[in-house]
Amino acid sequence: MAYHSFLLEPISCHAWNKDRTQIALCPNNHEVHIYRKDGAKWSKVHELKEHNGQVTGIDWAPESNRLVTCGTDRNAYVWTLKGNVWKPTLVILRINRAARCVKWSPKENKFAVGSGSRLISICYFEQENDWWVCKHIKKPIRSTVLSLDWHPNNVLLAAGSCDFKCRIFSAYIKEVEERPSPTPWGSKMPFGELMFESSSSCGWVHSICFSASGARVAWVSHDSTLCLADANKKMAVTSICTETLPLLAVTFITENSLVAAGHDCYPMLFTYEESQGTLTFGGKLDVPKQSSQRGLTARERFQNLDKKASSDTANAALDTLHKNSIRHISVLAGGKANCSQFCTTGMDGGMSIWDVKVRRPHGPLRLG
Amino acid sequence: PVPRTGDALRAFQAAIRSSPLHAKSPAVKEQAQGTMLKVLTSFKSSEIEQAVNSLDRNGVDLLMKYIYKGFEKPTENSSAILLQWHEKALAVGGLGSIVRVLTARKTV
């Protein structure tokens, strides 16, 4: 794996371009900085300054190469590269609270913004007026929407909220697409239709993710649980209570495996066993523990005892790669069906790239 | 009279099983808390680990809820034995079990 320390402050959010040569991130302020990989180094190549509040979400459309950002200033901007300059276009979200997350749809003809206004703004481009308009999904969301993920059919949208629920809505926009064909989540998908709602968590839903096929959705909540709903099993929900602090980010890396990370500062693996309908913890993915270099002198032992009431050799520093909570995970290579590489960013201002290796087909995953 | 080891373990498991998580009446909950506290304080230190290991994940979470409830309303010697229960429950349930005490909507 590779770790790069970008900042001394938290990275609020990040997004990668299609060929993974550039990363756009918010350095805990009102701006978006784009870094380009130059061999082993990262050079800052752009600074996007338009928001009047912290940028809470960034997404980079791989095909059209457009960026969309959203912030606490209640705005979203779509950015287009013209020559060597990123030009912003304001999108009126019609919200009266901070925007919290944004995602391009798979076909990149829409994007969704979750906000503290307890609704989701679905934005699409209206050709005739040459601007972005939005429609709202409101019912029955009762609190801030913290996370969003699109189903591969470009219509269904999963939303995680502070009202403890994971929901799947239809975000069908007749102006830009054909009627969708039936999915395991349902056949009738008028705009705003609630296709699924969970009630199993007791905490804010920090992150939500569809599997590559769209048949499964997983989410992590502030009550230290990971849950998964399987549309092929009549939307049955299975959950696992973890032994860790709450997880803040989750992604599928195969149709049956997930990687999640959060306040414990390291990514961990989970496996979904379809026939049993169970989730199991698959281990911690991080640097191996360094064995202590040498024994302690008697004086050092006494100092430890005096300062920390313990004479053991473990130091107070974290032995994980990230030195603070991991807030975001993105898939870099292989997609959500066969991820071979993923990226984490966190409150320590660092970005880490992790390699995933499968020992044999359908064998256990491990860190490479 | 202090129950023998086997009785204490059985009483503990029975108390866990019959915990009134869904009860609305505070009186019912208080009675259950009282019973659980009696059972927990009747254990010898050396027997605690075995009792904790006999629980499944939900049982450990439930035990942790009772431990914190016990901390809320301490009696003369309860905190000392509860701290021992806490140490053993933490070893099995991890910080996640404490997080779920804080986030639970259905309390004990």
Side-chain angles (χ1 to χ4, degrees):
Chain A
M1 74 216 73
Y3 178 87
H4 180 82
S5 176
F6 276 104
L7 315 160
L8 292 174
E9 294 205 60
I11 293 176
S12 315
C13 47
H14 78 268
W16 290 87
N17 68 346
K18 180 177 181 178
D19 60 9
R20 311 317 191 197
T21 53
Q22 294 185 38
I23 183 172
L25 53 86
C26 170
N28 198 37
N29 59 17
H30 305 180
E31 303 173 2
V32 173
H33 295 176
I34 300 182
Y35 289 80
R36 189 181 54 216
K37 200 154 204 311
D38 271 319
K41 289 204 307 276
W42 290 91
S43 326
K44 195 196 300 187
V45 289
H46 291 110
E47 283 185 3
L48 277 46
K49 303 177 197 210
E50 200 71 22
H51 279 284
N52 285 322
Q54 184 173 71
V55 179
T56 51
I58 306 176
D59 201 16
W60 203 324
E63 303 308 320
S64 58
N65 201 42
R66 287 170 303 178
L67 278 163
V68 64
T69 58
C70 71
T72 58
D73 59 357
R74 311 187 299 250
N75 287 331
Y77 291 93
V78 173
W79 303 79
T80 326
L81 192 59
K82 296 239 175 358
N84 200 34
V85 182
W86 283 95
K87 294 249 185 272
T89 306
L90 174 66
V91 179
I92 309 281
L93 300 172
R94 296 185 287 119
I95 56 180
N96 54 13
R97 293 290 184 278
R100 288 293 260 111
C101 49
V102 63
K103 275 276 172 71
W104 282 109
S105 71
K107 292 207 178 86
E108 302 172 18
N109 51 6
K110 302 184 286 191
F111 61 88
V113 181
S115 65
S117 293
R118 305 180 286 177
L119 53 84
I120 306 169
S121 304
I122 306 293
C123 308
Y124 61 99
F125 196 69
E126 212 175 56
Q127 281 297 138
E128 6 173 294
N129 290 322
D130 191 35
W131 70 350
W132 291 85
V133 295
C134 79
K135 290 170 93 163
H136 286 167
I137 296 176
K138 228 173 144 57
K139 290 200 181 84
I141 304 171
R142 306 233 298 277
S143 188
T144 305
V145 175
L146 285 181
S147 56
L148 296 166
D149 196 32
W150 288 90
H151 186 283
N153 76 353
N154 207 61
V155 170
L156 297 179
L157 180 67
S161 167
C162 285
D163 66 4
F164 305 170
K165 302 225 181 259
C166 154
R167 297 182 178 90
I168 298 178
F169 292 99
S170 164
Y172 169 64
I173 301 282
K174 62 182 185 324
E175 284 86 343
V176 303
E177 57 200 338
E178 301 291 310
R179 259 220 204 105
S181 15
T183 72
W185 298 100
S187 344
K188 285 210 181 309
M189 287 172 260
F191 179 83
E193 181 83 357
L194 181 66
M195 314 296 288
F196 168 77
E197 185 180 74
S198 79
S199 52
S200 45
S201 311
C202 281
W204 309 314
V205 178
H206 289 295
S207 175
I208 193 159
C209 186
F210 269 113
S211 66
S213 71
R216 296 164 186 176
V217 68
W219 63 98
V220 287
S221 326
H222 204 67
D223 59 351
S224 292
T225 59
L226 163 70
C227 301
L228 184 151
D230 192 342
N232 289 330
K233 298 185 105 179
K234 303 200 179 131
M235 306 191 204
V237 176
T238 174
S239 57
I240 180 170
C241 296
T242 70
E243 291 172 27
T244 60
L245 293 175
L247 298 162
L248 297 171
V250 66
T251 183
F252 276 90
I253 51 170
T254 71
E255 200 64 20
N256 295 318
S257 326
L258 302 118
V259 163
H263 287 298
D264 275 302
C265 318
Y266 57 81
M268 51 194 94
L269 185 64
F270 292 90
T271 324
Y272 174 59
E273 172 55 62
E274 183 179 356
S275 49
Q276 315 254 5
T278 52
L279 277 166
T280 39
F281 175 64
K284 170 178 167 172
L285 306 168
D286 207 291
V287 288
K289 259 203 172 81
Q290 313 288 356
S291 50
S292 45
Q293 315 284 44
R294 54 181 179 83
L296 288 183
T297 64
R299 183 179 176 74
E300 283 162 340
R301 262 188 211 286
F302 177 74
Q303 280 176 332
N304 270 345
L305 206 51
D306 183 39
K307 263 192 276 192
K308 297 184 258 180
S310 110
S311 52
D312 70 28
T313 58
N315 61 31
L318 282 180
D319 59 1
T320 53
L321 202 53
H322 278 283
K323 301 305 181 191
N324 206 326
S325 309
I326 294 173
R327 284 212 165 263
H328 292 280
I329 296 182
S330 54
V331 169
L332 291 182
K336 288 192 268 188
N338 205 4
C339 173
S340 55
Q341 203 178 58
F342 63 89
C343 165
T344 51
T345 57
M347 307 217 6
D348 60 354
M351 182 272 292
S352 191
I353 294 180
W354 308 80
D355 295 303
V356 182
K357 287 211 173 90
V358 184
R359 216 178 285 147
R360 56 183 189 280
H362 308 300
L365 289 165
R366 63 174 174 84
L367 187 67
Chain B
V2 176
R4 291 166 302 161
T5 315
D7 288 346
L9 186 57
R10 268 195 297 276
F12 171 69
Q13 285 163 345
I16 288 275
R17 262 198 311 274
S18 61
S19 170
L21 258 187
H22 301 279
K24 297 227 168 73
S25 149
V28 170
K29 293 201 173 189
E30 272 205 48
Q31 187 176 53
Q33 284 163 32
T35 307
M36 181 59 84
L37 195 59
K38 272 208 199 83
V39 172
L40 294 180
T41 50
S42 73
F43 269 71
K44 285 212 277 284
S45 307
S46 52
E47 297 159 3
I48 293 177
E49 192 166 336
Q50 181 194 24
V52 173
N53 289 336
S54 73
L55 297 173
D56 63 6
R57 168 49 33 86
N58 288 337
V60 174
D61 278 2
L62 194 56
L63 170 62
M64 200 50 106
K65 290 188 171 78
Y66 276 113
I67 291 170
Y68 277 91
K69 247 306 177 265
F71 285 146
E72 270 178 56
K73 308 171 187 183
T75 65
E76 202 171 295
N77 289 316
S78 64
S79 294
I81 190 88
L82 283 177
L83 279 172
Q84 291 180 60
W85 276 100
H86 187 277
E87 182 191 351
K88 299 298 180 199
L90 180 61
V92 175
L95 292 172
S97 61
I98 299 180
V99 170
R100 282 185 289 281
V101 172
L102 299 171
T103 56
R105 303 297 270 182
K106 297 199 174 76
T107 58
V108 298

